[in-house]
Amino acid sequence: MDGDAVRERAAELPREPGVYQFQTVESPRDHGGTTGDRAAETVVYVGKAVDLRDRVRSYADPRGERIRRMVERADRIDYSVTDTETQALLLEANLIKRFQPRYNVRLKDDKSYPLVQLTDHEFPRIEITRDPDPEATARRRADGGATAADPGVAGPRVFGPFTEKTRVETVVKALRETYGVRGCSDHKFSNRDRPCLDYDIGLCTAPCTGEIGRESYLADVESVVRFFEGETGVLADPLGREMERAAENREFERAANLRDRLDAVEGFHGGAGEAVASRGDGRSVDVLGVALEGDSATVARLHSESGQLVERDRFEVSVPEGDADTRAGAVLSAFVPQYYAERELPDALLLSERPDAEVLEWLDREGVAARVPGAGREATLLDLALKNARRGASEPDALAALRDALGLDAVPRRIEGFDVSHAQGTAAVGSDVAFENGSADKSGYRRKKLDDRNDDYANMYDLVRWRAERALAGRDDRSDPDLLLIDGGAGQLGAARDALADAGWDVPAIALAKDEELVVTPDATYDWPSDAAHLHVLQRVRDEAHRFAVQYHQSLRDDVSTELDNVPGVGPATRRKLLRRFGSVEGLRAASAAELREVDGVGEKTAETLLTRL
């Protein structure tokens, strides 16, 4: 739509509160349908308004580049009228959650952080996990995050999420050394005649062989739970005493190690012990802190229940257009109604910035005391939330170094890696893997079957062109990447850049060659030190793209009917081994009898049969 079309449509809208939707419309033929099928509509933006006509008219002259692109892409504007501004606010939140429009602020729950779990065994096991027992997660939510230790209550317990895995590992090891809670598997625990090595080195009290009774063991488990509830002294005090004894005995290296461990323990709850646990507060309180980084933001949420800080979450959101001074408030204005649309509101909401007036009015009607704290425990909680948010928004060192080394405008938080795989032109496929903040985002992996041809450059062109066209047409539900990494050298990179230029998708692209690990850009070739952290990031992306492409290629190749199907003595398993060893039937024809016999399952007779038949 252009400005005139927007003004024309705005003139048709009522001057009432409501919600509007910018939509794209694709013909049935775009999806393989017929002319009689209904056109496909995609919501690309949802907004609320006190006056629908005035608000929609403002899009005729958009202020930001992002909104300008949205308007140009849209084909029509739909709307819904509401009775009140509050209804419009809630309807907008529900529609955003339902349609996940490309140009709205969309919150992304961070599920990749480690948690600590205590299992529900007779002798509970402590473990660090990113995939906790569903019963433990449900129980934590049902209890409002509370995790009080009660040996009589069955069911696992989970604590976290935590933002620094290294610190979590240090603390869990210190807890095991202090309280002897086991960390072994069920198989290792059962049917033992004598304690394992963990007992010998002081990490476990060996309940498996009766070295400690259940009642005493559960008392130690209770101490571990108290620590994760916020009682830092449960672990810090014995560590401090042990450090002092080591120093008195002139065991200075051990004392220094204990000092470092004590620092990790004391800082585990964010350095705000009184904020973590305060006996005099019976309310449920949520604390929201926002940290901005370019066109993205991190919202950290802390949840305090009956004076105990019991839950931490982080969410990544895109930042609405607007002045830098008001963007944090705009993020909270979008986040609060979306997040609490399907959740129970707390008694109080502490915010780092003031959201829009209609959000505050809605919270007031719901009985939630919302404010920006100034001092005291509430201010300490907010500082802790902001610290967590900034930790999420801060640049990972390797990615920041990658930005500087390549001269990029922003930190490449999202990198997509591309590779192609085929066997002399047959079963050609391409992979597109995604990494967020240096870690694999497997929900963002995609693969594509390509035309069979023995041309790596043409295959890479088709693969990247496919990704670019899907992104520009709004058919790809993933975020746009900050950087594309091509598995290959200058030739593959040139093909990829040609595809980007022909499609009109403006995303920087580089390549990483396998043999010498050279980083190839449009302007230069870099030979970075082998221990450079930013090179390791690229290597992980490249290697994963290669693995994903080869895996898909092999699955297709193994399913292809070949001349081997009619060779006596060659079954499906042997056929797969032969094709993986020699790549194709042509490769088999060029092999000698001795080479054929090297394949497991191929004897002298089968090798001779293969040579005769092929």
Side-chain angles (χ1 to χ4, degrees):
M1 301 181 72
D2 57 19
D4 292 338
V6 172
R7 293 187 189 91
E8 183 178 345
R9 177 57 173 154
E12 301 171 356
L13 303 187
R15 290 187 174 277
E16 298 180 53
V19 172
Y20 54 91
Q21 302 176 28
F22 281 82
Q23 302 174 340
T24 61
V25 180
E26 297 180 15
S27 68
R29 291 180 179 178
D30 294 334
H31 300 273
T34 65
T35 55
D37 294 334
R38 183 176 179 180
E41 299 172 353
T42 302
V43 178
V44 295
Y45 188 79
V46 174
K48 64 181 181 299
V50 177
D51 184 318
L52 282 167
R53 183 182 301 176
D54 283 350
R55 184 70 185 97
V56 171
R57 185 186 291 120
S58 69
Y59 288 92
D61 186 20
R63 291 177 295 175
E65 177 63 21
R66 181 164 159 269
I67 296 300
R68 183 190 64 77
R69 291 199 304 269
M70 181 276 293
V71 173
E72 289 179 351
R73 180 169 294 178
D75 297 310
R76 64 189 296 264
I77 302 172
D78 198 3
Y79 72 96
S80 300
V81 174
T82 60
D83 292 329
T84 65
E85 298 172 34
T86 300
Q87 288 178 355
L89 175 74
L90 296 176
L91 178 58
E92 178 198 37
N94 289 334
L95 291 175
I96 290 174
K97 290 180 72 66
R98 177 183 176 186
F99 295 117
Q100 289 288 293
R102 178 182 179 86
Y103 291 94
N104 275 97
V105 172
R106 292 180 289 175
L107 60 87
K108 180 179 179 182
D109 195 352
D110 183 354
K111 295 180 172 61
S112 65
Y113 290 106
L115 304 116
V116 175
Q117 179 171 265
L118 284 166
T119 65
D120 60 350
H121 295 90
E122 180 183 8
F123 293 95
R125 175 178 72 239
I126 189 170
E127 58 189 5
I128 300 171
T129 179
R130 297 177 189 271
D131 185 23
D133 188 309
E135 182 184 342
T137 305
R139 182 164 172 250
R140 180 177 66 161
R141 289 172 179 168
D143 293 342
T147 54
D150 182 357
V153 177
R157 301 181 181 88
V158 63
F159 308 89
F162 304 106
T163 56
E164 295 183 49
K165 188 172 186 289
T166 301
R167 179 170 289 187
V168 175
E169 291 171 341
T170 299
V171 166
V172 168
K173 183 178 180 181
L175 284 167
R176 293 191 62 204
E177 289 180 338
T178 303
Y179 294 105
V181 179
R182 75 181 185 96
C184 59
S185 66
D186 293 344
H187 175 74
K188 188 176 180 181
F189 181 83
S190 59
N191 301 319
R192 294 197 66 85
D193 297 325
R194 57 187 179 84
C196 70
L197 182 62
D198 283 358
Y199 175 78
D200 296 331
I201 64 177
L203 284 176
C204 179
T205 49
C208 55
T209 56
E211 307 300 320
I212 185 174
R214 184 169 186 267
E215 185 176 345
S216 298
Y217 184 85
L218 291 178
D220 289 334
V221 171
E222 182 176 357
S223 296
V224 172
V225 174
R226 285 166 53 203
F227 171 80
F228 283 110
E229 285 186 326
E231 294 186 35
T232 305
V234 169
L235 183 55
D237 292 346
L239 278 178
R241 290 192 294 268
E242 189 176 353
M243 180 184 69
E244 292 172 0
R245 283 196 298 270
E248 290 173 0
N249 295 332
R250 305 181 68 81
E251 299 173 358
F252 298 120
E253 184 175 352
R254 175 170 169 74
N257 289 335
L258 289 168
R259 178 202 60 207
D260 295 341
R261 193 175 302 173
L262 183 60
D263 289 343
V265 168
E266 290 180 335
F268 188 71
H269 293 298
E274 185 177 345
V276 170
S278 179
R279 304 287 181 188
D281 192 346
R283 303 170 302 163
S284 66
V285 179
D286 275 6
V287 189
L288 302 180
V290 179
L292 300 174
E293 177 63 39
D295 60 355
S296 65
T298 300
V299 177
R301 169 185 168 268
L302 307 182
H303 179 67
S304 176
E305 193 79 32
S306 298
Q308 301 286 318
L309 183 57
V310 294
E311 195 171 26
R312 307 181 187 194
D313 301 303
R314 284 202 326 215
F315 302 87
E316 294 180 12
V317 301
S318 56
V319 180
E321 302 286 350
D323 298 331
D325 295 338
T326 62
R327 289 194 303 165
V331 168
L332 286 176
S333 298
F335 177 87
V336 169
Q338 283 191 62
Y339 182 78
Y340 292 106
E342 298 176 355
R343 295 173 175 86
E344 184 177 351
L345 284 160
D347 298 323
L349 195 57
L350 309 181
L351 307 166
S352 59
E353 301 285 343
R354 287 180 62 84
D356 293 345
E358 56 261 39
V359 175
L360 292 174
E361 291 173 5
W362 170 62
L363 291 171
D364 185 60
R365 290 192 182 95
E366 296 295 327
V368 178
R371 58 184 172 274
V372 178
R377 177 175 182 263
E378 291 186 348
T380 304
L381 278 170
L382 181 58
D383 287 342
L384 183 56
L386 286 169
K387 182 178 180 180
N388 277 272
R390 293 182 187 121
R391 185 174 293 158
S394 63
E395 304 171 358
D397 292 341
L399 297 181
L402 183 60
R403 175 203 58 191
D404 296 340
L406 295 174
L408 301 174
D409 294 332
V411 176
R413 296 188 180 281
R414 183 176 181 86
I415 303 174
E416 290 188 18
F418 295 82
D419 191 20
V420 297
S421 180
H422 58 87
Q424 296 182 350
T426 62
V429 299
S431 67
D432 171 9
V433 301
F435 274 61
E436 286 275 1
N437 291 321
S439 298
D441 174 21
K442 294 198 173 182
S443 65
Y445 282 21
R446 300 292 186 270
R447 60 190 191 182
K448 178 174 175 56
K449 193 175 186 310
L450 303 170
D451 293 338
D452 283 348
R453 57 187 169 190
N454 194 14
D455 188 336
D456 285 345
Y457 299 163
N459 288 334
M460 184 60 72
Y461 176 93
D462 288 348
L463 178 63
V464 175
R465 180 72 181 260
W466 165 77
R467 171 66 173 105
E469 290 178 344
R470 283 176 56 84
L472 293 170
R475 298 197 306 272
D476 201 310
D477 58 357
R478 297 172 294 170
S479 302
D480 286 350
D482 302 309
L483 179 68
L484 303 186
L485 178 65
I486 308 302
D487 185 356
Q492 285 86 350
L493 177 61
R497 284 175 51 80
D498 287 345
L500 293 172
D502 291 347
W505 199 33
D506 185 17
V507 180
I510 62 172
L512 180 59
K514 287 188 182 72
D515 294 337
E516 299 179 356
E517 301 293 359
L518 298 177
V519 179
V520 182
T521 74
D523 303 316
T525 299
Y526 300 97
D527 186 5
W528 292 334
S530 60
D531 60 350
H534 50 296
L535 174 62
H536 294 169
V537 172
L538 297 182
Q539 288 170 333
R540 287 198 300 272
V541 178
R542 187 269 316 277
D543 293 346
E544 183 67 354
H546 180 72
R547 181 199 66 81
F548 196 52
V550 170
Q551 181 186 59
Y552 184 35
H553 163 67
Q554 289 180 342
S555 69
L556 290 182
R557 189 177 65 190
D558 290 346
D559 291 336
V560 173
S561 177
T562 72
E563 297 173 60
L564 292 173
D565 296 343
N566 300 317
V567 177
V570 177
T574 303
R575 185 190 68 168
R576 284 194 294 270
K577 292 174 184 177
L578 288 166
L579 288 175
R580 287 180 180 176
R581 170 66 173 81
F582 298 103
S584 66
V585 174
E586 291 302 320
L588 274 165
R589 287 193 176 103
S592 66
E595 290 173 326
L596 291 172
R597 288 197 299 270
E598 291 176 358
V599 177
D600 185 30
V602 177
E604 184 173 350
K605 182 178 179 180
T606 303
E608 292 298 331
T609 303
L610 284 168
L611 290 174
T612 301
R613 290 296 186 96
L614 300 180

